[in-house]
Amino acid sequence: MSTVNLADAKAHLSELIGRVAEGDTVRITRRGKPIAQLSSVKKTLQPIDLGALKRITDPMPAQKQSAGDFMREMRDGDRY
């Protein structure tokens, strides 16, 4: 955990946010006493509903060409 005084926190907030995003915790002090703490927000992952995904993708027609061939055709056909 890093400790930063309030004046430095105001001057370097973007840098502190970057450090917090990387997992560091930053404690902000005023006159040597802690007044605030910056920490990252824990992201919650939601499980994928495989049944719903299957219901959406089943009616879709299969591609007639590979993705690589499709991208190559798009790239070669649209020269700028």
Side-chain angles (χ1 to χ4, degrees):
M1 178 182 316
S2 304
T3 302
V4 178
N5 67 40
L6 183 58
D8 288 340
K10 286 181 181 180
H12 303 286
L13 182 60
S14 293
E15 177 187 328
L16 294 176
I17 296 297
R19 287 171 39 191
V20 167
E22 292 174 358
D24 193 12
T25 300
V26 178
R27 182 170 285 169
I28 300 172
T29 62
R30 181 189 295 152
R31 297 185 190 109
K33 296 181 181 178
I35 57 168
Q37 184 169 304
L38 299 175
S39 60
S40 62
V41 176
K42 302 295 181 207
K43 296 179 184 175
T44 57
L45 299 177
Q46 297 179 355
I48 296 172
D49 183 355
L50 295 178
L53 184 60
K54 187 164 177 51
R55 285 189 299 276
I56 292 169
T57 57
D58 277 348
M60 293 180 180
Q63 275 187 254
K64 295 180 179 160
Q65 64 186 137
S66 72
D69 290 340
F70 176 76
M71 292 305 295
R72 193 172 300 106
E73 183 180 306
M74 293 294 292
R75 180 194 65 215
D76 293 344
D78 291 335
R79 299 262 179 206
Y80 6 156

